[in-house]
Structure formats: C-alpha cells, structure tokens
C-alpha cells in the first residue's frame, strides 16, 4: 500500500513540475493607428477607409522606434482590414527593423461602425441633432447611432473587402457594447490561442476596437471605464501576461509614452 501511495505522490510532484515548466511570460502590444485625414477633419471615420496624414505616418514610425528601443519582443502582427491600421503596422515594423514579421488581418479589429454618421463631421451632425445627442452617440455604452441602409454606398455589405463574409455578421451601426460583442470571437478564437502558444503579439487597430479588446483583457473594467479609456494615436500599450497551460494571468499594463510631443486623442 505504501508503495502505491509513494507512486501517487511522485506523479503529483511530476505534474506540478511539468505545470511549472510550461509557465512562460508573453507580450501583447496594442497600438492605435497614427493620425488620419478624418481625424484632422473631425469626421466619424469608423469603417471608412481614410488615409494617414504625414503626421500620422511620422507617429507610426516613432511608435516602431519606441518599441525597438523598449526591447519588447514581437513574433506576429495583427491588424484590422482598414488602410490606416495596416499602413501604421508597416511603418512601425520598418522602424522596429522587423519587416519580416508575419502579418494577419482581421475584420473584427475594425473601428466601431458609426452607422449613418460615417464620414460626417462632428459639427455637421451636431447642427442637425444637437450636441447632447452627438455626445450620447459618441460616449454612451449601449446606444448606437442610426443604422446605415443596406443599399447605402457606405455599408460594409457593398465593400469588396468583406465580399467573402456572411452579410448577416456585418454591422450597419454599433454601440461600444456591440463592438465588444463583435470582437469577442477574435479574442477567443485567434488572439487568446496565440498568447497561449507563447506568441508575442502586436495588435494595430483603432480607438474603439482596442477599447473593446481591453474589456476582454481586463474583465473587471466597468462599462463607464471602457468608454472613458484613452488610447492615443500611435502610443504602444504593453500588456504582460503569465501563461500556464490553458490559463492567462495579467501581470502588468504599461503605456510607452512618446519621448517628445504627445499624440492627439481624437477619434
């Protein structure tokens, strides 16, 4: 009997040793795109394919240098389907001196869809419905703007990028709550498994989609905290996780502030 007990104890010890052996730390870096033309014009950009300004390109380059000097390891880059995120990633990778990194695109990382506000200036909308209503649409957690018509030229259903997707999953307008729901499969099916496998991931996306992702990284965030979370243009936010088998534990969150001029915080 004692022999069997000793064997069981030995197996238990081995299991603990193996568990400890598989524990490791990984990086997840969230990076909002550089300043876009619609940022400058104070337009609701959403899923619109606005381009980076010259300042935005410089911000992306600076973010890459910031990451290179920080020594944060990256193995793979994830971006949205939108040009401003993809080009920010390219410029950052170039200045990280890691243009060879594999890059994957995910439509679920797209910015929040602003529905019928897409492409319109904040002032244009305010003149029509009032500042208070604009503030509700921009800053509330669960109130989406008016939806786009499926025949509207701005609708994702009419964009070739999403031609292979089931049209029923494409949003015509979203609140922050909707964006969190939309991004959940990316977290569950793509990002979390990548981290569990030991990959260090750079995610280049948008203000609201990164806020939505943060709600999955930090489940204790309350709705009002998610809405108020500030993610400045091209400023890396570095999460450090401890991975043990199928568990991920947050160790730290650090913002790598630019060394010179601070980037803007406009949507």
């Amino acid at each position: 009997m004692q022999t069997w007990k000793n064997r069981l104890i030995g197996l238990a010890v081995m299991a603990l040793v193996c568990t400890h052996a598989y524990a490791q730390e990984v990086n997840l870096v969230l990076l909002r795109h550089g300043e876009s033309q619609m940022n400058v014009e104070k337009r609701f950009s959403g899923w619109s394919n606005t381009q980076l300004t010259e300042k935005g390109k410089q911000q992306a380059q600076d973010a890459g240098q910031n990451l290179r000097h920080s020594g944060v390891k990256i193995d793979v880059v994830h971006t949205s389907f939108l040009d401003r995120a993809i080009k920010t990633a390219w410029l950052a990778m170039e200045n990280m001196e890691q243009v060879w990194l594999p890059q994957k695109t995910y439509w679920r990382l797209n910015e929040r869809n602003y529905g019928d506000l897409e492409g319109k200036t904040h002032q244009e909308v305010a003149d029509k419905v009032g500042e208070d209503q604009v503030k509700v649409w921009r800053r509330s957690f669960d109130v989406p703007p008016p939806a786009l018509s499926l025949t509207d030229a701005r609708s994702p259903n009419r964009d070739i990028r999403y031609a292979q997707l089931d049209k029923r999953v494409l949003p015509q307008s979203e609140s922050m709550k909707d964006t969190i729901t939309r991004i959940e499969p990316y977290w569950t099916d793509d990002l979390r498994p990548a981290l569990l496998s030991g990959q260090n991931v750079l995610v280049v996306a948008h203000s609201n989609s990164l806020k939505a992702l943060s709600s999955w990284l930090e489940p204790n965030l309350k709705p009002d905290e998610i809405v108020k979370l500030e993610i400045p243009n091209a400023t890396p936010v570095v999460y450090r996780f401890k991975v043990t088998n199928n568990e991920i534990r947050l160790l730290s969150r650090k913002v790598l502030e630019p060394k010179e001029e601070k980037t803007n915080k406009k949507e």
Side-chain angles (χ1 to χ4, degrees), residues 21 133 136 186 194 203 243 249 255 264:
Q133 183 60 63
V136 169
Y186 164 72
V203 176
V243 175
R249 181 165 64 88
V255 179
N264 68 40

Side-chain angles (χ1 to χ4, degrees), residues 27-32 59-77 88-89 91-98 101 200-204 234-239 254-259:
N27 301 312
L28 169 62
V29 180
L30 305 187
L31 182 64
R32 182 184 171 191
Q59 288 175 330
Q61 293 171 352
D62 292 345
Q65 292 185 26
N66 198 355
L67 282 169
R68 177 163 60 87
H69 293 313
S70 74
V72 175
K73 183 180 179 183
I74 300 296
D75 298 310
V76 63
V77 180
T88 294
L91 291 168
M93 290 161 65
E94 181 179 9
N95 283 269
M96 290 162 59
E97 298 182 354
Q98 290 182 281
L101 286 173
N200 299 285
V201 186
L202 169 61
V203 176
V204 186
T235 302
V237 180
V238 182
Y239 284 86
K254 180 180 180 182
V255 179
L256 298 183
E257 294 286 358
K259 294 183 178 180

Side-chain angles (χ1 to χ4, degrees), residues 44 112-117 133-148 171-179:
F44 291 95
R112 171 187 170 191
N113 188 302
Y114 277 105
D116 192 48
L117 307 187
Q133 183 60 63
V134 173
K135 189 175 294 184
V136 169
W137 285 333
R138 290 185 67 197
R139 300 302 183 193
S140 66
F141 181 72
D142 56 3
V143 181
L148 288 167
Q172 305 304 317
S173 179
E174 292 176 305
S175 64
M176 175 56 71
K177 183 178 180 180
D178 296 327
T179 310

Side-chain angles (χ1 to χ4, degrees), residues 246-261:
N246 200 42
E247 298 295 326
I248 298 178
R249 181 165 64 88
L250 178 61
L251 298 176
S252 64
R253 179 185 186 274
K254 180 180 180 182
V255 179
L256 298 183
E257 294 286 358
K259 294 183 178 180
E260 298 180 358
E261 178 187 1

Side-chain angles (χ1 to χ4, degrees), residues 19-251:
T19 299
H20 178 73
Y22 281 103
Q24 59 182 316
E25 294 184 7
V26 294
N27 301 312
L28 169 62
V29 180
L30 305 187
L31 182 64
R32 182 184 171 191
H33 63 80
E35 180 188 73
S36 73
Q37 188 58 44
M38 282 192 174
N39 287 154
V40 174
E41 297 171 0
K42 296 184 178 180
R43 295 181 183 275
F44 291 95
S45 50
W47 285 40
S48 302
N49 209 29
T50 183
Q51 300 299 313
L52 296 177
T53 62
E54 290 304 313
K55 178 180 177 179
K57 293 174 184 177
Q58 186 60 58
Q59 288 175 330
Q61 293 171 352
D62 292 345
Q65 292 185 26
N66 198 355
L67 282 169
R68 177 163 60 87
H69 293 313
S70 74
V72 175
K73 183 180 179 183
I74 300 296
D75 298 310
V76 63
V77 180
H78 293 181
T79 75
S80 74
F81 270 32
L82 301 173
D83 284 11
R84 59 192 185 274
I86 294 171
K87 291 180 180 178
T88 294
W90 289 348
L91 291 168
M93 290 161 65
E94 181 179 9
N95 283 269
M96 290 162 59
E97 298 182 354
Q98 290 182 281
V99 292
W100 45 266
L101 286 173
Q103 183 178 344
K104 301 179 180 180
T105 56
Y106 298 91
W107 71 270
R108 291 186 184 276
L109 283 173
N110 280 12
E111 177 60 296
R112 171 187 170 191
N113 188 302
Y114 277 105
D116 192 48
L117 307 187
E118 290 270 329
K120 297 178 180 178
T121 67
H122 299 173
Q123 191 59 53
E124 178 184 357
V125 177
D127 289 344
K128 185 175 182 180
V129 301
E131 291 283 356
D132 290 343
Q133 183 60 63
V134 173
K135 189 175 294 184
V136 169
W137 285 333
R138 290 185 67 197
R139 300 302 183 193
S140 66
F141 181 72
D142 56 3
V143 181
L148 288 167
S149 163
L150 294 179
T151 59
D152 194 301
R154 297 169 293 170
S155 170
N157 291 47
R158 299 173 64 85
D159 194 317
I160 193 172
R161 290 177 187 78
Y162 316 110
Q164 303 304 314
L165 297 176
D166 185 336
K167 303 304 182 186
R168 293 172 294 183
V169 304
L170 294 174
Q172 305 304 317
S173 179
E174 292 176 305
S175 64
M176 175 56 71
K177 183 178 180 180
D178 296 327
T179 310
I180 290 172
T181 300
R182 184 240 294 172
I183 213 165
E184 189 272 337
Y186 164 72
W187 163 245
T188 302
D189 301 336
D190 299 293
L191 182 55
R192 189 172 187 274
L195 297 173
L196 286 172
S197 72
Q199 286 190 315
N200 299 285
V201 186
L202 169 61
V203 176
V204 186
H206 310 267
S207 176
N208 288 294
S209 60
L210 292 178
K211 289 181 185 181
L213 181 55
S214 297
S215 74
W216 293 102
L217 304 176
E218 303 181 68
N220 292 329
L221 286 175
K222 298 176 182 178
D224 62 320
E225 292 174 323
I226 297 170
V227 171
K228 293 177 182 177
L229 187 64
E230 289 289 356
I231 303 180
N233 290 105
T235 302
V237 180
V238 182
Y239 284 86
R240 188 75 175 163
F241 293 97
K242 184 174 183 179
V243 175
T244 306
N245 292 339
N246 200 42
E247 298 295 326
I248 298 178
R249 181 165 64 88
L250 178 61
L251 298 176

